[in-house]
Amino acid sequence: MKKNPIYQLIIVFYRFLLTSLYFYLTNILLVGLVLTTKLNLGSSIFYFLGLVILFPSIGALADLLKDSEWNTEFILGFKKYFKYYWQNRFIYLRIGMIYFGLLIFLLFDIYAVNTIIKNQIFMPLMLILMILVVVSLGWIIGIQSFFKIDVKNSLRLSVYASTHFAINSLMIVLFAFLLYLSLTFIPQFMVFIIVPVLIEGLIMLTKKPLQKVKRQLHIS
């Protein structure tokens, strides 16, 4: 029965469903704000608090998806998820804030180029920088799920991996783009498992090159 492809597909879907449940329960504040409250000066403090909760939950989700000792046991998965969340919360929070700051800075620059400077010459450069940040973030998620190293070395390793494994970096961009396009035609209930699918995809895309990096740089 366990070798049946349909059974395996159901198990994979159920695993994504459970991890989504853990993830969205953790981020119920941010989900509620997005659905009911516009971002303004008064609500910004609550949105910021939602982001503080969000960043560690992304890391915890990656840790749980990579955990080979957990499959579909609800209580065990719940305990492991929050264990990972609590153990690595400060590392994931620092990484999240760094990339959030970079993305906000680039978005502001794009806005300035379009509305203030009104010069399209810089737009391709801004878009390239945005893509590079997204690629680096994809590598960071894979790196943290694979190595568990500090923020400084994670950033350095993401730069190393991005430049030494260009094909994988391109695949990260294509994967994110295809996932974005899929949101327009997949059934609505599938949106619920998009986050773990994205994280699992990034882990799979970065696993092999990071194994090579581990051997080359003798990282434990």
Side-chain angles (χ1 to χ4, degrees):
M1 180 66 177
K2 291 186 177 181
K3 294 182 179 179
N4 188 313
I6 297 178
Y7 174 82
Q8 293 295 330
L9 185 62
I10 293 173
I11 290 298
V12 170
F13 179 81
Y14 184 60
R15 182 180 172 90
F16 285 151
L17 198 63
L18 288 181
T19 51
S20 279
L21 181 61
Y22 306 147
F23 179 80
Y24 285 112
L25 282 176
T26 309
N27 294 283
I28 192 168
L29 171 63
L30 188 59
V31 172
L33 287 171
V34 171
L35 294 177
T36 64
T37 308
K38 292 183 178 180
L39 177 61
N40 51 48
L41 187 61
S43 64
S44 60
I45 183 65
F46 297 103
Y47 270 94
F48 181 77
L49 180 59
L51 290 174
V52 169
I53 298 171
L54 171 67
F55 298 135
S57 66
I58 293 174
L61 180 57
D63 290 336
L64 184 61
L65 288 170
K66 189 175 179 293
D67 190 336
S68 59
E69 297 180 358
W70 175 76
N71 193 13
T72 56
E73 299 87 351
F74 178 81
I75 299 299
L76 178 61
F78 189 81
K79 290 180 178 179
K80 281 180 171 289
Y81 173 83
F82 282 99
K83 176 184 175 183
Y84 293 135
Y85 186 103
W86 189 255
Q87 284 181 340
N88 304 303
R89 62 193 185 282
F90 293 121
I91 290 178
Y92 294 138
L93 181 57
R94 286 196 291 270
I95 290 173
M97 286 301 179
I98 289 171
Y99 280 92
F100 176 71
L102 286 172
L103 290 172
I104 290 297
F105 176 75
L106 289 173
L107 287 172
F108 177 78
D109 284 347
I110 291 174
Y111 171 80
V113 167
N114 277 328
T115 61
I116 302 175
I117 302 176
K118 296 182 179 179
N119 189 332
Q120 297 299 317
I121 295 177
F122 296 103
M123 185 57 69
L125 176 60
M126 293 296 103
L127 293 176
I128 290 172
L129 289 175
M130 182 73 75
I131 291 172
L132 290 176
V133 170
V134 171
V135 169
S136 177
L137 179 58
W139 279 108
I140 282 283
I141 292 173
I143 288 166
Q144 277 298 314
S145 70
F146 193 86
F147 288 117
K148 287 295 172 292
I149 53 180
D150 59 45
V151 176
K152 181 179 179 181
N153 285 314
S154 293
L155 294 171
R156 291 173 60 186
L157 189 53
S158 72
V159 173
Y160 177 89
S162 298
T163 55
H164 284 72
F165 302 99
I167 294 178
N168 295 83
S169 296
L170 179 60
M171 290 175 65
I172 290 174
V173 176
L174 291 176
F175 175 74
F177 180 69
L178 290 173
L179 199 62
Y180 170 75
L181 289 180
S182 70
L183 293 175
T184 62
F185 58 82
I186 61 174
Q188 289 185 352
F189 72 90
M190 290 291 287
V191 175
F192 187 68
I193 64 169
I194 285 296
V195 176
V197 168
L198 175 61
I199 301 299
E200 181 71 23
L202 291 173
I203 292 174
M204 292 175 63
L205 286 174
T206 57
K207 182 177 180 180
K208 188 172 181 179
L210 289 177
Q211 288 174 335
K212 185 180 293 187
V213 169
K214 183 177 181 179
R215 293 192 297 269
Q216 291 174 345
L217 302 182
H218 306 289
I219 301 175
S220 58

